[in-house]
Amino acid sequence: MSFSSDKLATEEVSSLYKEKIEDLHPEHPDDYLREGERWATEEDMNTLRRVGDKLPSAAVFIVLTELAERFTYYGISGPFQNYIQNGYKVPNSNPGAINGGQHMATGLGNFFQFWCYLTPILGAIIADQWLGKYKTILIFSLIYIVGDLVLTLTSIPASIRSGGALPGIIIAMITIGMGTGGIKSNVSPMVAEQYGRYRPFVRKLKNGKEVLVDRELTVQSIFNWFYWSINVGGLSAIATTELEANVDFWPAYLLPTLMFVLCIIVFWLGRNKYVITKPNGSIVVKAYRTIATAIKNKRRAKKENQLIVDENGKKLPWIDYAKPSYDISGSVVQWDDKFVDELRVAIRSCKIFLCYPIFWLCYGQMTNNMVSQSGQMNTGPVPNDIMQNIDPLCIIVLIPFFDWVVYPGFRRCGLELRPVTRITIGFLMMALSMAYAAILQHFIYAKGPYFKHAGDEGYGFNDISAAIQVPAYVIMAIAEIFASVTGLEYAYKRAPESMKSIVMSIFLLTNAGGSILAFAFNPISSNPHLVENFAIVSGLMGAFTVLFVVCFRHYDRVDEEETREKTVFEKAQ
């Protein structure tokens, strides 16, 4: 890989911020001051403690909507592994319906996750080209409900016994995945858009002290709480796995279906409060044409010995050859120099996502192989697939702790955990989580009475408590807070205004990449190969953590410089 120098990257973001301050976005109101507030000076920026602002009320409605949607998503996907892997009403066995075995269960689970994170590209294009974020979310919610109903109706006992469960879950996965794509690519940028104050300002607290209210920290806090709502919704799997084990699958799927109806109602109730951006044309098509033009013009310039240099004698980046001001072919294009600058920043920002598929490969183990792993141990009176809910429980507790204590504590000490630092810590923690799972699997196989056949059809569990699996989920939760939340924040913050949906969908696409990689692990995603499975994904995560640091360690310096540049231009405005 080749990367731009720190200086060039800083110049890129500086020019963009000049334009942004000179032409404030029409979808946001101009910055304003309330009583007890004043604009920040350069001295304030250097001396006052930085804090985030309060969450806008419109953002609260979107956060609650995401909570309800995730309640539905995790509520239906939580029982998938057992539903597909095991037979229906088999004595002395975990709950099930299809009896497809662990290979089929893991494979279909990986397909579902891949599909759910591939379709956001389509959702982003539709929102940008035709409908806007608000209408796209509403329409795709209706598609989502259709999938929920198909899954619920085909999970009734008569359908399962007549063979309708397998085609039903495949149709439901495809339909729900479509619905998810239209929602996921738009709901996260929409929630951050609700905060429309750009310039840093000073607020006097009740104790008389002044603090600097910083937009960057506010957006970071918004995404922390957004991710918190995702994991609150994820606790639905506790209810649905209990219903699956003690009643049947159809009520386990009916509950999240009803919750999704509430999701749409909550989102609709906030319609008069939202900052709604209008569609401005398909960025994907425009970006494709821009990149193609840049490549063509660069090749032509090189062939004709007409390569362009700047005032310092440096060759221009290849993407600049798409600028109308530099276009040596003289062709008429549908973009301006500013769009090319924005596209360059977007492409550069997306490079940081290249290591995320390995992170999601590890994360995906939680919903398939780690569920099967807990089924090989003594879980007591609770179903084996309830163990995965330890992860969202930990996140619910830890996100407020990080937002109120950990991050502010570092800032008080003069240390700022910039995005690359946080992502690196998250990657490292995920590698440790998988290493722990591999070591645990070794001890499970070493225990009797079923050894490496534990959890297979016709076999029970080995003599080891499932409580020993808890640390793997705790470490994974910490990894998510550092890497996943920061990735969402980075995708929004770095994306130019016109490209937020598409950059966010590209970040979500890395999850689909992890699911594709997971297919390669299917041959070792069952007994007696699970030690190798967890060990290999842990090693991959560790290797990519090192690669990430080597390639992107300088991005934190650029991020800090960008913040300074932004402050200078906002102050000048």
Side-chain angles (χ1 to χ4, degrees):
M1 299 181 201
S2 61
F3 301 94
S4 304
S5 67
D6 293 354
K7 181 178 178 182
L8 176 58
T10 303
E11 289 172 352
E12 291 172 3
V13 297
S14 298
S15 63
L16 287 179
Y17 277 121
K18 286 179 183 177
E19 293 170 346
K20 184 173 185 179
I21 296 303
E22 291 169 0
D23 184 19
L24 291 175
H25 308 297
E27 66 268 21
H28 295 297
D30 290 344
D31 283 346
Y32 55 88
L33 290 174
R34 297 190 179 99
E35 185 178 354
E37 298 175 349
R38 61 178 176 81
W39 297 124
T41 64
E42 186 174 355
E43 182 181 356
D44 295 328
M45 298 294 299
N46 294 327
T47 59
L48 292 182
R49 180 167 64 93
R50 297 164 64 221
V51 300
D53 207 351
K54 296 178 181 178
L55 202 67
S57 60
V60 173
F61 275 91
I62 300 175
V63 166
L64 290 175
T65 301
E66 179 67 1
L67 188 156
E69 188 276 329
R70 291 291 91 180
F71 183 101
T72 304
Y73 178 86
Y74 288 109
I76 63 172
S77 60
F80 273 177
Q81 189 77 3
N82 279 349
Y83 187 74
I84 301 168
Q85 178 174 340
N86 306 315
Y88 189 56
K89 302 294 185 181
V90 176
N92 301 319
S93 179
N94 290 315
I98 296 174
N99 196 27
Q102 188 172 345
H103 281 301
M104 178 187 285
T106 302
L108 282 177
N110 288 331
F111 163 76
F112 181 61
Q113 190 169 355
F114 162 76
W115 180 240
C116 285
Y117 289 96
L118 176 65
T119 53
I121 294 289
L122 176 63
I125 293 173
I126 290 174
D128 289 340
Q129 179 71 45
W130 296 291
L131 300 179
K133 297 181 184 67
Y134 175 74
K135 290 182 180 179
T136 301
I137 292 171
L138 280 181
I139 291 175
F140 276 77
S141 293
L142 298 178
I143 298 173
Y144 201 122
I145 286 180
V146 172
D148 290 338
L149 291 173
V150 169
L151 181 62
T152 302
L153 293 174
T154 56
S155 64
I156 62 176
S159 177
I160 292 175
R161 291 193 175 98
S162 63
L166 180 58
I169 196 172
I170 293 174
I171 294 171
M173 283 180 168
I174 294 172
T175 311
I176 292 169
M178 284 289 294
T180 299
I183 297 171
K184 290 295 290 182
S185 60
N186 294 294
V187 71
S188 45
M190 186 175 176
V191 71
E193 286 173 356
Q194 305 312 304
Y195 186 73
R197 304 183 73 175
Y198 288 90
R199 289 181 62 182
F201 59 91
V202 175
R203 174 180 292 155
K204 182 175 288 188
L205 303 178
K206 292 180 180 180
N207 60 9
K209 292 184 178 180
E210 290 186 327
V211 292
L212 178 72
V213 181
D214 187 281
R215 175 179 171 81
E216 180 180 348
L217 296 184
T218 304
V219 171
Q220 179 181 334
S221 181
I222 286 174
F223 278 112
N224 275 334
W225 287 103
F226 182 78
Y227 204 79
W228 181 86
S229 73
I230 290 174
N231 285 275
V232 171
L235 292 179
S236 61
I238 296 177
T240 55
T241 52
E242 284 288 346
L243 285 169
E244 155 211 332
N246 299 307
V247 186
D248 210 334
F249 281 98
W250 71 265
Y253 292 138
L254 178 62
L255 174 62
T257 300
L258 295 175
M259 187 64 174
F260 196 73
V261 176
L262 178 61
C263 162
I264 298 178
I265 293 173
V266 170
F267 186 68
W268 179 79
L269 287 174
R271 65 194 183 283
N272 294 325
K273 295 180 177 289
Y274 300 140
V275 174
I276 297 179
T277 57
K278 296 180 180 180
N280 52 14
S282 176
I283 297 300
V284 174
V285 175
K286 192 174 180 180
Y288 169 78
R289 290 174 178 169
T290 305
I291 291 171
T293 299
I295 294 173
K296 181 183 70 174
N297 287 347
K298 175 70 180 292
R299 288 176 177 173
R300 179 176 178 179
K302 187 175 182 180
K303 183 178 180 180
E304 297 178 1
N305 198 24
Q306 295 181 5
L307 292 175
I308 305 171
V309 296
D310 61 18
E311 61 273 12
N312 298 318
K314 292 184 178 180
K315 294 180 180 179
L316 289 182
W318 64 273
I319 192 68
D320 279 8
Y321 284 85
K323 288 184 175 180
S325 58
Y326 293 146
D327 189 355
I328 62 174
S329 65
S331 58
V332 178
V333 295
Q334 298 176 339
W335 56 84
D336 54 17
D337 286 8
K338 178 182 176 181
F339 180 81
V340 177
D341 285 333
E342 289 181 340
L343 182 59
R344 180 174 62 240
V345 173
I347 292 173
R348 182 180 178 278
S349 300
C350 289
K351 289 179 182 178
I352 205 169
F353 304 150
L354 292 175
C355 293
Y356 268 91
I358 303 299
F359 178 85
W360 296 122
L361 169 66
C362 297
Y363 177 81
Q365 305 298 309
M366 180 178 69
T367 57
N368 45 59
N369 289 324
M370 290 182 71
V371 172
S372 299
Q373 184 185 69
S374 61
Q376 299 169 0
M377 298 183 285
N378 184 1
T379 61
V382 300
N384 65 303
D385 47 4
I386 203 172
M387 295 294 293
Q388 60 187 297
N389 293 283
I390 295 170
D391 173 79
L393 276 171
C394 290
I395 289 175
I396 289 168
V397 173
L398 291 175
I399 279 184
F401 179 71
F402 274 72
D403 199 43
W404 295 336
V405 178
V406 175
Y407 294 143
F410 273 100
R411 287 195 291 270
R412 286 190 179 95
C413 296
L415 300 173
E416 184 75 34
L417 292 180
R418 293 280 177 188
V420 170
T421 302
R422 280 181 273 151
I423 294 170
T424 301
I425 295 172
F427 284 177
L428 179 60
M429 298 301 289
M430 184 60 82
L432 292 175
S433 176
M434 291 298 99
Y436 183 91
I439 295 170
L440 173 58
Q441 190 66 51
H442 170 76
F443 283 108
I444 293 172
Y445 282 161
K447 284 281 187 179
Y450 301 105
F451 301 100
K452 294 187 177 183
H453 294 288
D456 290 344
E457 186 177 2
Y459 295 86
F461 53 80
N462 282 340
D463 187 20
I464 184 171
S465 173
I468 200 171
Q469 196 183 35
V470 171
Y473 289 111
V474 175
I475 300 171
M476 184 180 291
I478 296 173
E480 283 186 73
I481 293 172
F482 277 113
S484 186
V485 177
T486 305
L488 281 171
E489 172 199 337
Y490 191 92
Y492 175 82
K493 187 177 70 173
R494 292 288 185 171
E497 194 70 24
S498 61
M499 303 183 187
K500 291 196 183 298
S501 287
I502 193 64
V503 172
M504 190 68 71
S505 65
I506 290 173
F507 173 70
L508 296 173
L509 188 63
T510 63
N511 204 314
S515 299
I516 292 176
L517 292 175
F519 284 113
F521 286 81
N522 259 10
I524 57 173
S525 292
S526 61
N527 290 332
H529 308 293
L530 288 174
V531 175
E532 293 94 323
N533 175 87
F534 290 124
I536 291 173
V537 296
S538 174
L540 281 173
M541 188 73 260
F544 272 82
T545 301
V546 174
L547 178 65
F548 181 81
V549 173
V550 170
C551 294
F552 301 108
R553 63 187 184 279
H554 64 285
Y555 271 38
D556 275 346
R557 295 197 306 274
V558 176
D559 181 68
E560 187 174 2
E561 185 64 29
E562 173 189 341
T563 302
R564 291 199 192 102
E565 293 285 346
K566 179 182 177 181
T567 302
V568 169
F569 292 118
E570 287 175 343
K571 183 174 179 292
Q573 178 69 14

